[in-house]
Coordinates of all heavy atoms in Angstrom, one line a residue:
F115 N -3.0 6.8 -4.5 CA -4.1 6.7 -3.5 C -3.6 6.9 -2.1 O -2.4 7.0 -1.9 CB -4.8 5.2 -3.6 CG -5.3 4.9 -4.9 CD1 -4.6 4.3 -5.9 CD2 -6.7 5.0 -5.1 CE1 -5.1 3.9 -7.1 CE2 -7.3 4.7 -6.3 CZ -6.5 4.2 -7.3
N116 N -4.6 7.2 -1.2 CA -4.2 7.4 0.1 C -4.3 6.2 1.0 O -3.6 6.0 2.1 CB -5.3 8.4 0.7 CG -5.0 8.7 2.2 OD1 -4.0 9.1 2.7 ND2 -6.0 8.1 3.0
A117 N -5.2 5.1 0.6 CA -5.3 3.9 1.4 C -5.8 2.8 0.5 O -6.3 3.0 -0.5 CB -6.2 4.1 2.6
G118 N -5.5 1.6 1.2 CA -5.8 0.4 0.4 C -7.3 0.1 -0.1 O -7.4 -0.3 -1.3
P119 N -8.2 0.2 0.8 CA -9.6 0.1 0.3 C -10.0 0.9 -1.0 O -10.7 0.4 -1.8 CB -10.5 0.5 1.5 CG -9.5 0.2 2.6 CD -8.2 0.6 2.2
A120 N -9.6 2.2 -1.1 CA -9.8 2.9 -2.3 C -9.1 2.3 -3.6 O -9.6 2.3 -4.6 CB -9.4 4.4 -2.1
A121 N -7.9 1.7 -3.4 CA -7.1 1.2 -4.4 C -7.8 -0.2 -4.9 O -7.9 -0.4 -6.0 CB -5.7 1.0 -4.0
I122 N -8.3 -0.9 -3.9 CA -9.2 -2.1 -4.3 C -10.3 -1.8 -5.1 O -10.6 -2.5 -6.0 CB -9.4 -2.8 -3.0 CG1 -8.2 -3.6 -2.4 CG2 -10.5 -3.8 -3.2 CD1 -7.8 -4.8 -3.1
E123 N -11.0 -0.8 -4.7 CA -12.2 -0.3 -5.4 C -11.9 0.0 -6.8 O -12.6 -0.4 -7.8 CB -12.9 0.9 -4.7 CG -14.1 1.4 -5.4 CD -15.3 0.5 -5.1 OE1 -15.3 -0.5 -4.3 OE2 -16.5 0.8 -5.7
A124 N -10.7 0.7 -7.0 CA -10.2 1.1 -8.4 C -10.0 -0.1 -9.3 O -10.3 -0.2 -10.4 CB -9.1 2.1 -8.2
L125 N -9.2 -1.0 -8.5 CA -8.7 -2.2 -9.2 C -10.0 -3.1 -9.6 O -10.0 -3.5 -10.8 CB -7.9 -3.0 -8.3 CG -7.2 -4.3 -8.9 CD1 -5.7 -4.4 -8.5 CD2 -7.9 -5.6 -8.7
N126 N -10.9 -3.3 -8.8 CA -12.1 -4.1 -9.1 C -13.1 -3.4 -10.1 O -13.8 -4.1 -10.8 CB -12.9 -4.5 -7.8 CG -12.1 -5.5 -7.1 OD1 -11.4 -6.5 -7.7 ND2 -12.3 -5.6 -5.8
A127 N -13.0 -2.1 -10.2 CA -13.7 -1.4 -11.2 C -13.1 -1.2 -12.6 O -13.6 -0.7 -13.5 CB -14.0 0.1 -10.7
G128 N -11.7 -1.8 -12.6 CA -11.0 -1.7 -13.8 C -10.3 -0.4 -14.1 O -9.7 -0.3 -15.2
A129 N -10.3 0.4 -13.2 CA -9.5 1.7 -13.3 C -8.0 1.5 -13.3 O -7.3 2.3 -13.8 CB -10.0 2.7 -12.2
I130 N -7.5 0.5 -12.5 CA -6.2 0.0 -12.5 C -6.1 -1.5 -12.6 O -7.1 -2.1 -12.4 CB -5.4 0.5 -11.1 CG1 -6.3 -0.1 -9.9 CG2 -5.4 2.1 -11.1 CD1 -5.5 0.3 -8.6
D131 N -4.8 -1.9 -13.0 CA -4.7 -3.2 -13.1 C -3.9 -3.9 -12.1 O -4.0 -5.2 -11.8 CB -4.0 -3.5 -14.4 CG -4.6 -3.0 -15.6 OD1 -5.8 -3.1 -15.9 OD2 -4.0 -2.1 -16.4
A132 N -3.0 -3.2 -11.4 CA -2.2 -3.7 -10.3 C -2.0 -2.5 -9.3 O -2.3 -1.4 -9.6 CB -0.8 -4.2 -10.9
A133 N -1.6 -2.9 -8.0 CA -1.5 -1.9 -7.1 C -0.6 -2.4 -6.0 O -0.5 -3.5 -5.6 CB -2.9 -1.6 -6.4
Y134 N 0.2 -1.4 -5.4 CA 0.9 -1.5 -4.2 C -0.1 -1.1 -3.1 O -0.7 0.1 -3.2 CB 2.1 -0.6 -4.2 CG 3.3 -1.1 -5.1 CD1 3.3 -0.6 -6.4 CD2 4.3 -1.8 -4.5 CE1 4.3 -1.2 -7.2 CE2 5.3 -2.2 -5.3 CZ 5.5 -1.8 -6.7 OH 6.5 -2.3 -7.5
L135 N -0.2 -1.9 -2.0 CA -1.1 -1.6 -0.8 C -0.6 -2.4 0.2 O 0.1 -3.2 0.2 CB -2.6 -1.7 -1.3 CG -3.1 -2.8 -2.2 CD1 -3.0 -4.1 -1.5 CD2 -4.6 -2.6 -2.5
G136 N -1.4 -2.3 1.3 CA -1.3 -3.1 2.6 C -2.0 -4.5 2.3 O -2.9 -4.6 1.5
P137 N -1.6 -5.4 3.1 CA -2.3 -6.9 3.0 C -3.6 -7.0 3.3 O -4.4 -7.8 2.8 CB -1.4 -7.7 3.9 CG -0.8 -6.8 4.9 CD -0.6 -5.5 4.2
N138 N -4.3 -6.2 4.3 CA -5.6 -6.4 4.8 C -6.7 -6.1 3.8 O -7.7 -6.9 3.6 CB -5.9 -5.7 6.1 CG -5.2 -6.5 7.3 OD1 -4.2 -6.0 7.8 ND2 -5.8 -7.6 7.8
P139 N -6.5 -5.0 3.0 CA -7.5 -4.9 1.9 C -7.5 -5.9 1.0 O -8.6 -6.3 0.4 CB -7.1 -3.5 1.4 CG -6.5 -2.8 2.5 CD -5.7 -3.9 3.2
A140 N -6.3 -6.5 0.6 CA -6.1 -7.5 -0.3 C -6.9 -8.8 0.2 O -7.6 -9.5 -0.6 CB -4.7 -7.8 -0.6
I141 N -6.7 -9.0 1.4 CA -7.3 -10.3 2.0 C -8.7 -10.1 2.0 O -9.5 -11.0 1.7 CB -6.8 -10.5 3.4 CG1 -5.3 -11.0 3.5 CG2 -7.7 -11.5 4.2 CD1 -4.6 -10.9 4.8
N142 N -9.3 -9.0 2.3 CA -10.8 -8.7 2.4 C -11.4 -8.8 0.9 O -12.4 -9.4 0.9 CB -11.1 -7.3 3.0 CG -12.5 -7.0 3.2 OD1 -13.2 -7.9 3.8 ND2 -12.9 -5.9 2.9
S143 N -10.7 -8.3 0.0 CA -11.1 -8.4 -1.3 C -11.3 -9.8 -1.8 O -12.3 -10.4 -2.4 CB -10.3 -7.5 -2.4 OG -10.8 -7.8 -3.7
F144 N -10.2 -10.6 -1.4 CA -10.1 -12.0 -1.8 C -11.3 -12.8 -1.3 O -11.9 -13.7 -1.9 CB -8.8 -12.6 -1.4 CG -8.5 -14.0 -1.9 CD1 -8.1 -14.3 -3.1 CD2 -8.8 -15.1 -1.1 CE1 -7.8 -15.7 -3.5 CE2 -8.5 -16.4 -1.5 CZ -8.1 -16.7 -2.6
V145 N -11.5 -12.6 0.0 CA -12.5 -13.3 0.9 C -13.9 -12.9 0.3 O -14.7 -13.7 -0.1 CB -12.4 -12.9 2.5 CG1 -13.7 -13.5 3.1 CG2 -11.1 -13.5 2.9
K146 N -14.2 -11.7 0.1 CA -15.5 -11.1 -0.3 C -15.9 -11.7 -1.8 O -16.9 -12.0 -2.0 CB -15.5 -9.6 -0.3 CG -15.6 -9.0 1.1 CD -16.9 -9.3 1.8 CE -17.0 -8.6 3.1 NZ -18.4 -8.8 3.8
S147 N -14.8 -11.6 -2.5 CA -15.0 -12.2 -4.0 C -14.9 -13.7 -4.1 O -15.0 -14.2 -5.3 CB -14.0 -11.7 -4.8 OG -12.7 -12.0 -4.7
K148 N -14.8 -14.3 -3.0 CA -14.7 -15.9 -2.9 C -13.4 -16.3 -3.9 O -13.5 -17.3 -4.7 CB -15.9 -16.6 -3.5 CG -17.0 -16.3 -2.5 CD -18.3 -17.0 -2.9 CE -19.4 -16.7 -1.9 NZ -20.8 -17.3 -2.3
G149 N -12.3 -15.5 -3.8 CA -11.1 -15.9 -4.6 C -10.9 -15.4 -5.9 O -10.0 -15.8 -6.6
E150 N -11.9 -14.6 -6.4 CA -12.0 -14.3 -7.8 C -11.3 -12.9 -8.1 O -10.9 -12.7 -9.2 CB -13.4 -14.2 -8.4 CG -14.1 -15.5 -8.3 CD -15.6 -15.4 -8.8 OE1 -15.9 -14.2 -9.3 OE2 -16.3 -16.2 -8.8
S151 N -11.1 -12.0 -7.2 CA -10.7 -10.6 -7.4 C -9.3 -10.4 -7.7 O -8.9 -9.7 -8.8 CB -11.2 -9.7 -6.4 OG -10.6 -10.0 -5.1
I152 N -8.5 -10.7 -6.8 CA -7.0 -10.5 -6.9 C -6.2 -11.5 -6.5 O -6.5 -12.6 -6.1 CB -6.7 -9.3 -5.9 CG1 -7.0 -9.7 -4.4 CG2 -7.5 -8.0 -6.2 CD1 -5.7 -10.2 -3.7
R153 N -4.8 -11.3 -7.0 CA -3.7 -12.2 -6.5 C -2.6 -11.5 -6.0 O -2.2 -10.4 -6.5 CB -3.2 -13.2 -7.6 CG -4.2 -14.2 -8.0 CD -4.5 -15.3 -7.1 NE -5.5 -16.2 -7.6 CZ -6.7 -16.2 -7.6 NH1 -7.3 -15.1 -7.0 NH2 -7.5 -17.1 -8.0
I154 N -2.1 -11.8 -4.9 CA -0.8 -11.3 -4.4 C 0.4 -11.8 -5.1 O 0.5 -13.1 -5.2 CB -0.6 -11.5 -2.8 CG1 -1.8 -10.7 -2.0 CG2 0.8 -10.9 -2.4 CD1 -1.8 -11.3 -0.7
I155 N 1.1 -11.0 -5.7 CA 2.3 -11.4 -6.6 C 3.7 -11.1 -6.1 O 4.7 -11.7 -6.6 CB 2.2 -10.8 -8.1 CG1 2.1 -9.4 -8.2 CG2 0.8 -11.6 -8.7 CD1 2.2 -8.8 -9.5
A156 N 3.7 -10.3 -5.1 CA 5.0 -10.1 -4.4 C 4.9 -9.2 -3.2 O 3.8 -8.6 -2.9 CB 6.0 -9.2 -5.5
G157 N 5.9 -9.2 -2.4 CA 6.0 -8.3 -1.3 C 6.6 -7.1 -1.7 O 7.4 -7.0 -2.7
A158 N 6.8 -6.0 -0.8 CA 7.5 -4.8 -1.2 C 8.0 -4.3 0.0 O 9.3 -3.9 0.0 CB 6.5 -3.8 -1.8
A159 N 7.4 -4.2 1.2 CA 8.0 -3.6 2.3 C 7.5 -4.3 3.7 O 6.3 -4.7 3.7 CB 7.7 -2.1 2.5
S160 N 8.4 -4.4 4.6 CA 8.2 -4.9 6.0 C 8.4 -3.9 7.0 O 9.5 -3.2 6.9 CB 8.8 -6.2 6.2 OG 8.7 -6.6 7.7
G161 N 7.5 -3.6 8.0 CA 7.8 -2.8 9.1 C 7.2 -1.4 8.7 O 6.5 -1.2 7.8
G162 N 7.6 -0.5 9.6 CA 7.1 1.0 9.3 C 5.8 1.3 9.6 O 5.2 2.0 8.8
A163 N 5.2 0.9 10.7 CA 3.9 1.3 11.2 C 3.9 1.4 12.7 O 4.4 0.6 13.4 CB 2.9 0.3 10.7
Q164 N 3.3 2.5 13.2 CA 3.3 2.7 14.7 C 1.9 3.4 15.2 O 1.4 4.1 14.3 CB 4.6 3.6 15.0 CG 5.8 3.0 14.8 CD 7.0 4.0 15.0 OE1 6.8 5.2 15.0 NE2 8.2 3.5 15.2
L165 N 1.6 3.3 16.4 CA 0.7 3.9 17.0 C 1.4 5.0 17.8 O 2.1 4.7 18.8 CB -0.2 3.1 18.1 CG -1.2 3.8 18.9 CD1 -2.2 4.5 18.1 CD2 -1.8 2.8 19.9
V166 N 1.2 6.3 17.3 CA 1.8 7.4 18.1 C 0.6 8.3 18.6 O -0.5 8.4 18.1 CB 2.5 8.2 17.0 CG1 3.7 7.5 16.4 CG2 1.7 8.8 15.8

Side-chain angles (χ1 to χ4, degrees):
F115 296 88
N116 175 66
I122 286 286
E123 180 77 3
L125 188 141
N126 285 328
I130 56 175
D131 304 308
Y134 287 86
L135 41 65
N138 283 101
I141 292 171
N142 189 43
S143 180
F144 185 85
V145 170
K146 289 287 185 178
S147 69
K148 298 181 180 180
E150 295 180 3
S151 61
I152 61 95
R153 292 293 183 270
I154 299 171
I155 57 172
S160 171
Q164 298 173 336
L165 171 59
V166 295

